[in-house]
Amino acid sequence: MKTKMHRTVLGAAALSAFAFAAPVLADEDAELIVNGDLSIVTKTAAPAHLSDSLDEILSGWRFRNDDTQVMQMDDFDNPGMLGADVGLDQFAAVMGSEGKSCADCHDGPESLSTVRATYPKWNEAAGEVRTMQMQINDCLTNQMGAEAEKYDSAKMLNFEAMLAVAARGTPVNVAIDGPAQSVWETGKELYYTRFGQLELSCANCHEDNYGNMIRADHLSQGQVNGFPTYRLKNAKLNGIQSRFKGCVRDTRAETFNPGSPEFIALELYVASRGNGLSVEGPSVRN
Amino acid sequence: MNLTRRDALALGLGATAASLLPLRAVAAADDAIAVFTGGAKVGTGGITLTAPEIAENGNTVPVAVDAPGATSIMVLATGNPTPGVATFNFGPLAGSQSASTRMRLAGTQDVVAIAKLADGSFVKASSLVKVTIGGCGG
Amino acid sequence: MASGVKPRVKVPKSAAAGGTITIKTLISHKMESGQRKDSDGNVIPRSIINRFTCDFNGQSVIDIKMEAAISTNPYFEFDAMVPEAGEFKFTWYDDDGDIYEETKDIAVA
């Protein structure tokens, strides 16, 4: 199922807190077809930049149990679609002092079907790497005269869910070269940096131990192609950077916050680890 | 540590109270069953309860019931603080006496379904659902 | 809870006369169980949808008593008989007295 070039030795503190055991549960060979007709790539060859660490990349969907997997196979069964629906309403709603809606500039979400797969992305005019949420806030404040939304707010995630549906099935393809490269390198460094009292890096769990159990949880590769994600745990849409925050917190570290330069860089890097998987949001996870 | 008689008594009482808690939840489930059945005898067979053996998260657990010919089916989560989940009452235009939903389970426990059949008798099925606690943010 | 509650139902557009169809319903609702506490330690009062009904041309298909253990965004799946063309009516009853309704027409082929 997977090749590992080397297994990182976990710190003693980490071992005492988290026990890794043999995998059970999920059907890692299941295939995701949504509504009976939309094939989603949940397993494919790893992008070239991962050639030293992974042969294959796998969507988090493959690591969930049957009941959770099934919920994402039909848009009616998928409660995350409630958010995508509200996102469509928001798209048509006039917001801000300019009296404009998203629909006044954009010709329906279909016209934005490449967004979800290509962000985070370098913005030449602004001279920065922007996530989707940064770009949406730019529209809200500079084009529409509306208030900026907080990072990973319900409204933001509804917009993201709508954009994910517009792009669903297309391969994730974020650019890591050119002007984005230095940010990508920062993100890569963060991915392999051990944080917290448990001294765990992203890679310790999601590269070295995916497929294993961390207590009762089946560790995935930590791919973000399925975001925003409807979690059974909190029964709402969850954002990428809030998930990062949860992970870093669980290493017993002071975390970065959603919207911080560190998490923007990490989002670009982690997104690039999924280049080739399909956009599948809003996904359903535990 | 020095224990006075009073401390020991308090400890003992605490332990008794703690051990009674799950019993109380089960008693509430028994009460709900008694109200539903009017104290009638409950048989087995003729009812299917489908719930996962292991739920990835207790907050959203799929459950399905099916009892051909039933007029109503009550579903109980016997280990929840309040055991009621739902009671399905089938009308004349029900296409089958089956339904499914998603429920919250406070922890590993028995889920019980009781059907009232057209002849007024009752049948029951139960299923143990293990609720896992995630490793991360679980 | 009256704001932002969105019912969704999935009903086939047509059925064979006298045939059976499967219906799915989903409504956005927090289903506050009454078991949780806020950050100050106060119990958050229960606020749930306590009943759901589906009727076809005025006759009952299903009538569900819902309790606090039903998950956020309540979901139901059940079967209905379709004796003739007509209208399905779906009704959700909120603890706060609000009622959410949705209707769907079905043809017979």
Side-chain angles (χ1 to χ4, degrees):
Chain A
M1 184 203 96
K2 59 182 171 178
T3 308
K4 283 187 214 142
M5 302 308 287
H6 60 90
R7 182 178 283 265
T8 310
V9 178
L10 287 164
L15 273 179
S16 64
F18 290 146
F20 294 107
V24 287
L25 290 173
D27 182 359
E28 287 179 28
D29 294 322
E31 294 295 336
L32 175 55
I33 299 168
V34 176
N35 300 331
D37 61 7
L38 178 63
S39 283
I40 300 289
V41 175
T42 55
K43 175 170 153 176
T44 190
H49 70 84
L50 286 179
S51 60
D52 286 345
S53 42
L54 295 174
D55 287 343
E56 221 171 38
I57 50 174
L58 301 158
S59 158
W61 183 82
R62 290 206 173 229
F63 296 87
R64 303 282 48 95
N65 77 11
D66 294 354
D67 293 311
T68 311
Q69 286 185 339
V70 163
M71 271 199 212
Q72 204 188 314
M73 297 179 81
D74 180 312
D75 280 349
F76 199 90
D77 294 351
N78 179 348
M81 293 302 289
L82 288 166
D85 280 357
V86 178
L88 275 178
D89 294 345
Q90 290 173 191
F91 189 83
V94 171
M95 290 177 242
S97 58
E98 299 297 308
K100 288 197 282 194
S101 72
C102 306
D104 283 326
C105 293
H106 299 288
D107 200 8
E110 312 80 57
S111 68
L112 297 163
S113 65
T114 61
V115 171
R116 177 61 183 86
T118 53
Y119 273 73
K121 189 178 182 177
W122 178 258
N123 183 303
E124 191 58 48
E128 64 183 6
V129 167
R130 280 190 177 170
T131 61
M132 277 196 295
Q133 296 196 24
M134 292 162 77
Q135 186 56 50
I136 291 167
N137 262 341
D138 184 85
C139 285
L140 285 172
T141 55
N142 292 327
Q143 309 290 337
M144 301 163 80
E147 293 276 309
E149 275 295 311
K150 273 180 72 178
Y151 222 91
D152 284 347
S153 72
K155 202 168 179 180
M156 267 301 185
L157 295 172
N158 291 336
F159 274 132
E160 275 198 353
M162 173 202 71
L163 290 169
V165 171
R168 205 154 50 151
T170 63
V172 174
N173 184 24
V174 298
I176 63 174
D177 52 3
Q181 192 182 345
S182 68
V183 175
W184 182 82
E185 297 283 358
T186 304
K188 182 175 180 180
E189 194 175 324
L190 284 164
Y191 189 88
Y192 288 100
T193 302
R194 290 169 181 271
F195 286 99
Q197 292 175 324
L198 300 184
E199 295 182 52
L200 288 168
S201 72
C202 306
N204 290 148
C205 286
H206 297 292
E207 184 171 290
D208 305 330
N209 279 292
Y210 69 86
N212 290 336
M213 301 299 285
I214 185 160
R215 299 212 308 183
D217 212 353
H218 196 193
L219 276 174
S220 74
Q221 285 187 345
Q223 297 286 357
V224 294
N225 61 305
F227 278 84
T229 285
Y230 186 92
R231 292 190 68 186
L232 303 183
K233 173 194 167 175
N234 57 17
K236 63 176 186 178
L237 288 175
N238 292 259
I240 292 171
Q241 296 194 13
S242 296
R243 177 65 271 194
F244 288 166
K245 184 175 179 178
C247 275
V248 178
R249 178 203 61 209
D250 288 347
T251 71
R252 301 183 192 166
E254 289 284 341
T255 82
F256 305 106
N257 280 317
S260 63
E262 290 84 359
F263 275 174
I264 292 163
L266 187 61
E267 180 176 337
L268 173 62
Y269 176 69
V270 175
S272 79
R273 291 174 68 95
N275 275 351
L277 292 173
S278 295
V279 171
E280 66 174 71
S283 62
V284 182
R285 302 286 188 263
N286 59 323
Chain B
M1 184 168 117
N2 289 319
L3 275 180
T4 63
R5 181 172 168 275
R6 187 179 295 238
D7 285 342
L9 202 61
L11 276 172
L13 277 175
T16 311
S19 70
L20 274 175
L21 270 175
L23 277 179
R24 207 190 301 152
V26 171
D30 286 344
D31 289 349
I33 292 170
V35 169
F36 185 65
T37 62
K41 209 170 146 253
V42 179
T44 52
I47 179 168
T48 313
L49 168 67
T50 310
E53 191 182 337
I54 299 172
E56 275 194 303
N57 193 288
N59 213 8
T60 315
V61 182
V63 60
V65 288
D66 180 19
T71 55
S72 59
I73 304 176
M74 180 174 69
V75 179
L76 296 172
T78 58
N80 278 4
T82 54
V85 176
T87 304
F88 302 93
N89 299 296
F90 300 102
L93 288 184
S96 67
Q97 284 70 46
S98 65
S100 57
T101 185
R102 296 166 182 163
M103 64 182 170
R104 297 171 173 143
L105 297 180
T108 296
Q109 58 179 282
D110 283 318
V111 176
V112 173
I114 298 171
K116 181 180 186 182
L117 303 177
D119 65 3
S121 66
F122 293 88
V123 288
K124 173 178 144 174
S126 80
S127 183
L128 175 67
V129 180
K130 290 178 188 153
V131 174
T132 62
I133 299 164
C136 281
Chain C
M1 193 64 214
S3 69
V5 174
K6 246 183 125 112
R8 298 176 92 202
V9 297
K10 188 178 183 182
V11 177
K13 288 198 166 47
S14 71
T20 295
I21 57 160
T22 297
I23 292 174
K24 293 179 179 183
T25 70
L26 185 68
I27 188 164
S28 58
H29 196 286
K30 227 175 152 50
M31 295 293 283
E32 189 60 58
S33 68
Q35 300 290 335
R36 299 199 310 161
K37 287 179 180 167
D38 64 18
S39 48
D40 296 328
N42 304 313
V43 171
I44 306 171
R46 181 183 119 152
S47 174
I48 68 166
I49 294 175
N50 56 51
R51 186 181 173 207
F52 165 75
T53 62
C54 168
D55 296 298
F56 181 71
N57 290 349
Q59 270 201 297
S60 172
V61 174
I62 199 164
D63 184 338
I64 304 173
K65 181 182 181 219
M66 299 162 64
E67 314 261 10
I70 294 289
S71 301
T72 303
N73 303 328
Y75 170 90
F76 290 113
E77 185 177 336
F78 52 92
D79 297 331
M81 247 178 335
V82 184
E84 71 264 335
E87 184 187 77
F88 281 104
K89 186 176 179 193
F90 305 90
T91 314
W92 292 261
Y93 298 84
D94 198 306
D95 271 353
D96 66 12
D98 281 329
I99 289 173
Y100 319 109
E101 288 176 330
E102 180 79 322
T103 56
K104 284 277 173 189
D105 290 327
I106 190 165
V108 290

